[in-house]
Amino acid sequence: MYKAFRRVLGVVLLSSVAVAAAFGQDATGRIAGRVVDPGTGSGLSGVRVVVGDSVAVAFTDLDGRYRSGPLAPGAYRIVARGLGRASKTYEGVVVIAGQSTLVNFSLTTIALALEQVNITAARTDRATSEAGLLGVQQRAVAASDGISAQQISRSPDSDASEAATRVSGVSIVSNKFVVVRGLSERYSNTLLNGVEVPSPEPTRKVVPLDVFPAALLDAIVVTKSGTPDKPGDFTGGSVEIRTKEFPEQFVASYSLSIGANNTVTGRMLDLPSWKGIDYLGFDAANRRHPPALPKEGFPNPNDLERYAEGVRNTWAPPVSRATPNIGFSGSIGNQNQFGRDALGYVASATYSLRNEYQPERLFQLVLDATSTPVRGFVYEDRRRTVDLGGVLNASYRRGANHKFGIKNLYTRNAEELYSTSEGFNDLLNGDLRGYQYQYITRDLLQSQLSGEHLIPTRFPIRAEWKGTLSRSERDEPDNRQVPYQRGENDTEFGLTFNSDLWFRKLNDESRAGQVDVSTVLPWLSSREVTLKTGVSARQKVREFDAVLASFNPAQQVALPSGLTALPPELLFQPENVGKYLALGFPGRIAQPYSADDNLYAYYGMLDMPVTGWLRVVGGVRVEDWRMDLFDGGRDRFASDTTLRPNIRRNSDLLWSANATIALSDRMNIRLAGFRSLARPDTRELSQDEYTDLVGSCVIIGNSALQRTSVTNADARWEWYPGPGEVVSISGFFKYFDAPIFRAVTSDQTCRFTFNNGTEAQNIGAEIDFRKGLVFLPGRLSNLSISLNGTVVRSRLRIDPRFGVYPDDLRLEDQSPWLANVVLSYDGRRVQGNVLYNVFADRISRYGLQEQTIQGPNVIERGRGTLDAKIETRVAGGWMLSLAVRNLTDNRVIMFQDTDVGRVQTGFLRPGRSITLGMGHAR
């Protein structure tokens, strides 16, 4: 592995020299930017932008963007003129060879004669992505927060889940699932380039954010109030992942990183053994699903034995030294003009390989506050993970009135776990020892074709359309769990009950289409009102296939002495399988299911500037949900007429109203009210029993679960003192009718299920502060500070027939408060960030509640994490970086408060990580 790493490093170094030589410094530059309406922030098309004395002339496209032709280095005057708009002039715009100078315009409407605004020697530094994102946020219809690609690149975050924790009001559970404003992932949605994406996780409604590598992202934007043109199936926030867009000029960049974690790197460990294309996330070691089971069962014992012997029997991987983590990313993009037409593209790829070791992961369960744990295990986990992904986007602009685009994203994750455990279960007498091998791959693919068209009539009509194909897959071809037991009078462990073999596969495929049409109509004085309407359709098909096979000691023959005490790699030899170890198929568990989950929507909305300082946006959206769930799979329903699918048909009217009061050109007050939904996921409805890891609790759905209706109210004051700066204070209130919650059933086997509560309330406040410290002397003026914080309170009420819960029960996964602090330095050659994230205790899952048993909730202890990253520019476009994560070496700790004191029921130590990076950019 070390030799392979050195070869990759050598190739990268040679490639950088070749790229630098092939793409030398261009002798010309350009001027590019965007022309917008200052009131709405929307782009103005057809605006004429003139550089100098007609040195170059450009016209803005549908989004208000323009780009000049090649210009010799120097200073220029630039003028923007639009019909019915006051023209604006910038003097002294400096063009640098090989670069695009960014100049943005905001042109106000005029009622009579044109007026010209001259700005002499204005500073026209290239705006940062952070400043651009805040500019969009300031003029957006709805309240939102986000993080730009620039901010992500300056942090040690490697994927979208880590980056999202920096956004105000956002936290992450299980390192992948988003919690917005204290509401778990089931009350949010995830959009990829504006379209919902299916989840590759069987037990979660929303796609986990860790499948999106940070190097592929342009921004993460969390919209916190609803509008009619967006899906209504969210309450906490709508998290939009935006992939990279093509640049204004040619860019080529790549980076290589090597990292270490103090819990694993350099240790001698029995990590899962990989070879060949395993390192690319594709199976090279014969991990596969077994043959399909005959519907009539096995015709004879020989077939059963062949089936059993076909199961992979790889155990006890060889001990080797854990290698460092490695990562690579590369990107190339450009924009070419052909007269008034333009073609832009961007291609980006990323790869990472890492090892993990958890020697003391703990799981315990306390059912009764008066008792001790009834189940407990200490795990030793070894895991190897690879992630790869790519983006290929292109856009073609035909004149000023037509634009076509195509966006493609693919990510793949593969991980293999080898785990051993020691523990106990009160249902079984004696001690337990467990072994588990699990191999999982996750794929996500999205392809999107879109178009934008402007019809220049008396009242211009703008039409936008997009068609999207999304597919996610989770494949689990190898999950073997072997439990050994040692009785009170036994001296050694032996196999006495089921050794489970799980084979599972989840496919989610979604087809979506959307058409939006808007027109601008005259309004009071010189103001204009925008009327927008549209329709959308999403058709999603989910197929979940599962098989559970179990090995048990044969009952019909005498077992050789000591056979069941053999370690797994010796016990499951072909000579034992079939003769001494019988194979069975529990039919009640691991049932497949299928679902057709379709959503059709149409809406109408008005964007109306009532006065020069008041903007109102409102309307209605109708969503028609049609879901058919087939427990047991479609084939089972075709052959058994007594079975009926779970059918849902709901039509909902969702209203929303947003008002923006402009106190000045940099200060707003926002008020919003809207109605939203939270629909049950197919896993929450399915009766299939699902178990993730050996020893963990079983998840089973509730076919009677109903959707949740939520009424929302929001208020925000926001001030944008300068580029990249913001100060905002927000408040929110949410009322839930029939909220969905997860609970432990009374079954001693530790089962989760889902029910509807009676009602819930959620109230909170947020603060966001980002400011440059330019008033400090010398180089200290390059410092800036960013902090955000959220406080939340909630109350969930549950019908007594579901258990005896307290009236002041908090919502699951909700921290009463959380905060982020970031100190940044942006010098000429050196950039650095120190980041601190902290959250308070939160309920991980509710305890068992019955008339006679009030079990304690499982609480995840709050913790603060300190991260840092520093980058320095060196000659020839090279960058060197050093990133560290979890400097405070925080542990993930779960606990339950019982009558006899606090019991620690969960423990995980992520360890400290350090990463060295090098990169080159053109």
Side-chain angles (χ1 to χ4, degrees):
M1 188 63 196
Y2 284 113
K3 292 181 180 178
F5 174 75
R6 288 198 297 269
R7 292 193 188 101
V8 171
L9 180 60
V11 170
V12 170
L13 289 171
L14 291 174
S15 300
S16 66
V17 175
V19 170
F23 302 107
Q25 193 78 300
D26 196 346
T28 62
R30 296 178 186 270
I31 296 176
R34 193 167 184 238
V35 182
V36 300
D37 182 289
T40 65
S42 58
L44 299 175
S45 63
V47 174
R48 191 170 186 260
V49 181
V50 181
V51 180
D53 297 325
S54 298
V55 172
V57 178
F59 290 87
T60 57
D61 63 12
L62 286 85
D63 297 319
R65 302 186 185 279
Y66 72 92
R67 185 170 184 255
S68 75
L71 299 170
Y76 293 86
R77 181 181 73 254
I78 180 170
V79 184
R81 297 188 179 94
L83 184 63
R85 301 276 173 172
S87 64
K88 183 175 286 189
T89 301
Y90 286 105
E91 299 283 356
V93 177
V94 178
V95 173
I96 301 174
Q99 297 184 16
S100 289
T101 302
L102 187 65
V103 180
N104 294 325
F105 293 89
S106 59
L107 303 185
T108 59
T109 57
I110 55 174
L112 299 173
L114 296 177
E115 299 177 4
Q116 180 166 316
V117 178
N118 291 291
I119 302 177
T120 304
R123 183 175 179 179
T124 57
D125 295 338
R126 184 180 181 90
T128 67
S129 296
E130 182 179 0
L133 187 63
L134 287 178
V136 173
Q137 176 180 313
Q138 179 183 358
R139 296 178 175 85
V141 171
S144 65
D145 295 295
I147 183 170
S148 67
Q150 181 190 50
Q151 294 168 283
I152 296 173
S153 68
R154 294 181 178 179
S155 74
D157 302 330
S158 61
D159 57 52
S161 66
E162 295 175 351
T165 61
R166 317 298 179 184
V167 180
S168 175
V170 176
S171 61
I172 297 292
V173 296
S174 303
N175 295 323
K176 62 181 70 174
F177 299 110
V178 66
V179 176
V180 183
R181 290 184 162 180
L183 299 174
S184 63
E185 50 82 27
R186 70 157 350 279
Y187 290 109
S188 297
N189 65 11
T190 301
L191 307 180
L192 177 59
N193 295 319
V195 177
E196 288 186 87
V197 287
S199 173
E201 290 293 329
T203 60
R204 299 284 183 162
K205 174 185 176 184
V206 175
V207 62
L209 296 187
D210 67 330
V211 303
F212 301 105
L216 303 181
L217 307 183
D218 190 57
I220 301 173
V221 177
V222 182
T223 302
K224 297 178 177 178
S225 60
T227 56
D229 57 341
K230 302 294 183 182
D233 191 9
F234 84 91
T235 298
S238 180
V239 181
E240 182 175 1
I241 307 294
R242 298 177 183 174
T243 57
K244 285 188 172 182
E245 298 282 355
F246 59 86
E248 295 290 344
Q249 60 188 13
F250 176 80
V251 296
S253 64
Y254 53 87
S255 64
L256 182 69
S257 66
I258 182 169
N261 183 286
N262 67 308
T263 66
V264 57
T265 307
R267 291 175 178 257
M268 299 299 294
L269 297 171
D270 47 352
L271 286 162
S273 180
W274 282 11
K275 63 181 180 180
I277 60 174
D278 280 332
Y279 289 101
L280 296 178
F282 297 91
D283 176 33
N286 201 30
R287 309 175 189 92
R288 64 179 185 272
H289 288 266
L293 298 174
K295 293 183 178 180
E296 297 78 16
F298 291 97
N300 58 65
N302 291 332
D303 289 339
L304 180 61
E305 184 173 349
R306 279 193 293 270
Y307 181 95
E309 291 176 351
V311 175
R312 186 169 178 246
N313 188 32
T314 300
W315 295 94
V319 175
S320 61
R321 192 172 300 279
T323 58
N325 303 328
I326 62 172
F328 174 80
S329 65
S331 183
I332 186 172
N334 199 4
Q335 182 180 168
N336 300 307
Q337 284 193 276
F338 312 96
R340 297 187 64 180
D341 299 346
L343 174 65
Y345 68 90
V346 62
S348 187
T350 182
Y351 172 87
S352 68
L353 173 69
R354 64 185 182 274
N355 298 313
E356 299 176 24
Y357 177 57
Q358 295 293 337
E360 300 174 307
R361 181 171 66 88
L362 172 69
F363 169 81
Q364 290 196 112
L365 179 67
V366 175
L367 290 179
D368 188 342
T370 63
S371 65
T372 58
V374 297
R375 175 185 298 194
F377 292 90
V378 177
Y379 299 85
E380 186 178 2
D381 295 340
R382 307 86 160 165
R383 180 180 281 107
R384 180 162 281 174
T385 303
V386 63
D387 292 277
L388 58 88
V391 163
L392 179 60
N393 296 342
S395 180
Y396 176 69
R397 188 183 74 235
R398 176 67 176 171
N401 296 335
H402 304 280
K403 186 169 74 172
F404 302 90
I406 184 169
K407 294 183 177 181
N408 301 279
L409 175 137
Y410 174 74
T411 68
R412 182 175 178 87
N413 163 272
E415 66 176 46
E416 188 163 27
L417 168 72
Y418 172 53
S419 179
T420 56
S421 62
E422 302 274 351
F424 68 93
N425 188 332
D426 280 356
L427 293 179
L428 305 169
N429 294 321
D431 301 324
L432 297 176
R433 174 178 292 169
Y435 298 84
Q436 180 173 16
Y437 236 108
Q438 183 183 43
Y439 182 77
I440 297 174
T441 62
R442 297 183 298 170
D443 292 84
L444 177 64
L445 171 68
Q446 187 192 77
S447 293
Q448 183 181 98
L449 185 65
S450 63
E452 299 177 35
H453 310 278
L454 185 65
I455 304 173
T457 61
R458 180 181 178 185
F459 303 116
I461 298 175
R462 183 187 182 100
E464 303 174 55
W465 57 269
K466 63 178 65 173
T468 308
L469 173 64
S470 302
R471 182 181 179 88
S472 68
E473 179 180 291
R474 186 183 192 269
D475 192 13
E476 194 175 352
D478 185 18
N479 186 347
R480 291 164 284 137
Q481 304 175 9
V482 183
Y484 286 75
Q485 183 177 359
R486 182 177 60 189
E488 295 179 358
N489 300 320
D490 296 332
T491 59
E492 58 184 12
F493 287 91
L495 180 70
T496 59
F497 57 96
N498 294 354
S499 173
D500 292 337
L501 312 172
W502 295 88
F503 308 104
R504 297 179 285 207
K505 191 169 186 177
L506 173 69
N507 281 302
D508 256 353
E509 186 170 301
S510 176
R511 293 178 173 86
Q514 180 176 330
V515 177
D516 301 284
V517 179
S518 60
T519 185
V520 177
L521 303 174
W523 180 237
L524 298 175
S525 183
S526 60
R527 294 185 291 275
E528 298 173 334
V529 61
T530 301
L531 172 63
K532 186 176 182 181
T533 186
V535 297
S536 64
R538 184 216 67 202
Q539 296 180 334
K540 183 170 71 172
V541 177
R542 167 172 279 202
E543 300 287 348
F544 178 77
D545 190 21
V547 174
L548 172 61
S550 293
F551 280 115
N552 293 279
Q555 303 296 321
Q556 295 82 8
V557 297
L559 301 180
S561 176
L563 175 74
T564 57
L566 292 174
E569 64 272 18
L570 299 179
L571 177 61
F572 293 98
Q573 291 294 322
E575 60 268 23
N576 297 328
V577 173
K579 183 177 181 180
Y580 300 119
L581 297 176
L583 186 65
F585 300 89
R588 184 176 60 86
I589 305 175
Q591 288 292 320
Y593 69 87
S594 304
D596 296 326
D597 188 351
N598 301 329
L599 184 68
Y600 306 94
Y602 50 94
Y603 73 90
M605 63 180 283
L606 281 175
D607 185 348
M608 186 165 48
V610 179
T611 67
W613 50 270
L614 175 61
R615 178 187 181 191
V616 176
V617 179
V620 294
R621 178 183 182 89
V622 177
E623 291 192 348
D624 187 9
W625 181 45
R626 305 176 184 180
M627 193 276 295
D628 297 329
L629 173 65
F630 304 88
D631 262 319
R634 300 175 197 270
D635 292 342
R636 183 182 175 194
F637 278 77
S639 59
D640 190 343
T641 57
T642 63
L643 298 174
R644 293 290 182 269
N646 189 336
I647 297 176
R648 299 299 174 92
R649 298 290 187 269
N650 296 122
S651 185
D652 295 282
L653 179 67
L654 308 177
W655 54 267
S656 65
N658 291 264
T660 303
I661 302 170
L663 302 180
S664 71
D665 59 346
R666 296 184 179 182
M667 188 181 297
N668 295 325
I669 291 179
R670 295 181 182 272
L671 303 173
F674 63 101
R675 182 173 181 256
S676 60
L677 297 169
R679 299 185 179 93
D681 184 59
T682 49
R683 165 59 64 186
E684 296 171 336
L685 295 169
S686 172
Q687 295 298 289
D688 170 53
E689 296 186 13
Y690 188 92
T691 304
D692 189 13
L693 297 173
V694 61
S696 62
C697 297
V698 176
I699 299 173
I700 186 169
N702 177 1
S703 60
L705 207 59
Q706 299 299 312
R707 71 195 189 286
T708 303
S709 176
V710 189
T711 302
N712 307 262
D714 285 78
R716 170 181 287 198
W717 169 82
E718 56 187 19
W719 175 40
Y720 299 87
E725 300 179 339
V726 64
V727 181
S728 69
I729 300 174
S730 306
F732 55 88
F733 173 80
K734 301 174 185 296
Y735 175 81
F736 300 75
D737 183 20
I740 297 173
F741 70 97
R742 182 181 63 158
V744 178
T745 69
S746 60
D747 194 330
Q748 287 289 310
T749 58
C750 177
R751 244 178 222 171
F752 291 143
T753 191
F754 305 90
N755 287 309
N756 286 106
T758 304
E759 64 174 4
Q761 296 178 3
N762 192 56
I763 186 170
E766 297 171 336
I767 183 171
D768 193 0
F769 178 88
R770 305 181 212 178
K771 187 74 174 67
L773 306 182
V774 294
F775 53 85
L776 295 177
R779 294 184 178 179
L780 294 179
S781 63
N782 294 322
L783 288 171
S784 62
I785 189 170
S786 171
L787 61 90
N788 60 65
T790 304
V791 293
V792 189
R793 297 292 183 271
S794 64
R795 183 179 65 187
L796 172 63
R797 292 183 176 176
I798 299 174
D799 192 304
R801 62 195 173 99
F802 296 133
V804 183
Y805 290 87
D807 289 336
D808 59 348
L809 183 65
R810 291 204 321 258
L811 291 171
E812 192 177 76
D813 292 331
Q814 180 180 102
S815 294
W817 59 268
L818 56 93
N820 282 289
V821 180
V822 181
L823 182 65
S824 303
Y825 179 83
D826 190 3
R828 189 170 65 91
R829 287 189 174 274
V830 178
Q831 297 173 345
N833 271 1
V834 178
L835 311 96
Y836 185 70
N837 173 266
V838 61
F839 63 87
D841 293 356
R842 58 193 179 193
I843 297 176
S844 178
R845 64 175 181 267
Y846 299 131
L848 171 64
Q849 299 293 326
E850 289 187 320
Q851 297 296 332
T852 58
I853 299 177
Q854 282 76 52
N857 296 325
V858 178
I859 307 296
E860 181 178 358
R861 194 176 75 180
R863 59 185 181 273
T865 304
L866 182 65
D867 307 320
K869 183 175 182 179
I870 185 170
E871 293 181 317
T872 180
R873 301 181 183 89
V874 294
W878 286 93
M879 294 283 294
L880 299 177
S881 66
L882 172 66
V884 288
R885 288 190 61 84
N886 195 23
L887 278 167
T888 45
D889 196 21
N890 284 306
R891 279 77 162 167
V892 179
I893 294 175
M894 307 287 185
F895 65 86
Q896 291 177 271
D897 286 323
T898 71
D899 294 344
V900 296
R902 176 166 294 183
V903 178
Q904 183 172 302
T905 55
F907 178 86
L908 182 70
R909 185 188 178 193
R912 298 185 182 95
S913 297
I914 182 170
T915 303
L916 297 173
M918 57 182 295
H920 185 274
R922 157 67 169 83

